[in-house]
Amino acid sequence: MPVDDAGPLRTPVRRGTLGVIATGTAASGPVLNGLRAAAREHGYALVVFSVPGHGRSAVPAAVAGLRLQGVAGIILLDPHLFAEPPPVTAVPLVPAAAADQYDGARRATEHLLDIGHPTVWHVGGPEEAPIARARERGWRETLERHGADVPPVVRGDWSARSGYRAGQSLAVEVRMCAVFTANDHMALGLLAAFAEAGVRVPRDAHVVGFDDVPEAAYFAPPLTTVRQDFVAAGRQTLAVLAARIDGLAAPGSGAVRAELVVRESSRPTRS
């Protein structure tokens, strides 16, 4: 069934207003911030509709609510919300562009191998999260390509607290000397646990995160991490959606390249 049929959903379309459907966590995160910045550049206003974190069934109601506000197009901020097939709507509906999560994890893992580590441990995000799975796959397959052992994943939930617990378990692992964490907040907790256990970074171990949150440069030590260009991803999303709104062929929408930012947490300083 189409989400918008006859009746009150036939609100005049405001071409400068776009809708965004996000989960509770993404509704205030860096992906949305990058999209807002790109929207400002192009004179768009955004209306954000937050839905439960794990329910595709909420998307049709969110689309209907945004149509009542007359949006010209809709962006699904979280990839897992873009059901197959996507809901049928009278306005264009596109997924948000994102950085290449797999390639970012590959870069992080290869960096640690290149500075001499025989393998790399991984603090992964929630198994149900698509980006966590992509980052874990990039880490795992990179180790396999290099003929390195693949240690068991230490599972976190994106929070600094879960990173701290992971750090406590890894600090007593005698084979551990390099860790790739699936996000910077877990890396923060991991660094705190290492410091308490007497594991000195970067002298005794090297750590790499993912996201390059604004605070990453001020961690103790400053964190090597994978930077995602959220504004570039926002621009790409808007270009695709604008083309769809105008009935034109959409430009290419491949993943945005991720960049490794090397800081003190992975400097090869050990003797």
Side-chain angles (χ1 to χ4, degrees):
M1 283 282 298
V3 172
D4 79 311
D5 45 19
L9 295 181
R10 296 187 178 278
T11 304
V13 171
R14 295 178 286 160
R15 290 186 58 81
T17 303
L18 304 176
V20 178
I21 301 175
T23 63
T25 53
S28 59
V31 178
L32 180 59
N33 291 339
L35 190 60
R36 287 190 192 279
R40 285 194 296 269
E41 290 178 0
H42 295 279
Y44 288 109
L46 298 183
V47 178
V48 181
F49 199 112
S50 182
V51 299
H54 302 294
R56 288 178 179 172
S57 60
V59 172
V63 170
L66 290 169
R67 285 286 290 134
L68 282 172
Q69 300 186 56
V71 300
I74 297 172
I75 299 162
L76 288 176
L77 209 59
D78 303 271
H80 75 276
L81 293 177
F82 203 75
E84 294 292 343
V88 177
T89 66
V91 297
L93 178 70
V94 302
D100 190 330
Q101 310 296 323
Y102 180 96
D103 189 59
R106 177 193 65 79
R107 291 173 184 275
T109 307
E110 286 191 340
H111 167 68
L112 291 166
L113 294 174
D114 287 346
I115 60 178
H117 293 291
T119 191
V120 178
W121 292 71
H122 182 50
V123 179
E127 288 186 278
E128 68 273 11
I131 62 171
R133 293 197 299 270
R135 294 173 190 181
E136 182 179 331
R137 187 167 57 87
W139 159 78
R140 183 183 304 279
E141 293 182 3
T142 300
L143 291 181
E144 292 171 347
R145 279 195 302 272
H146 285 263
D149 290 339
V150 181
V153 175
V154 182
R155 190 67 59 191
D157 62 10
W158 301 127
S159 70
R161 177 176 293 180
S162 70
Y164 179 82
R165 290 195 297 266
Q168 288 178 311
S169 65
L170 287 173
V172 299
E173 172 56 60
V174 295
R175 298 175 297 156
M176 185 281 303
C177 56
V179 184
F180 164 48
T181 65
N183 78 339
D184 292 346
H185 289 109
M186 291 193 297
L188 174 62
L190 179 115
L191 290 171
F194 277 8
E196 287 184 6
V199 177
R200 295 162 295 181
V201 177
R203 181 171 176 177
D204 301 325
H206 290 143
V207 177
V208 176
F210 204 114
D211 287 336
D212 196 25
V213 298
E215 302 84 5
Y218 304 98
F219 286 5
L223 182 67
T224 295
T225 185
V226 177
R227 175 181 294 160
Q228 303 187 76
D229 191 337
F230 294 110
V231 177
R235 291 190 188 109
Q236 183 169 296
T237 302
L238 291 178
V240 171
L241 184 54
R244 292 280 303 278
I245 291 170
D246 292 334
L248 304 174
S253 56
V256 176
R257 186 175 182 270
E259 173 191 1
L260 183 71
V261 180
V262 179
R263 299 191 179 102
E264 286 301 312
S265 72
S266 70
R267 299 284 186 196
T269 58
R270 295 179 300 159
S271 56

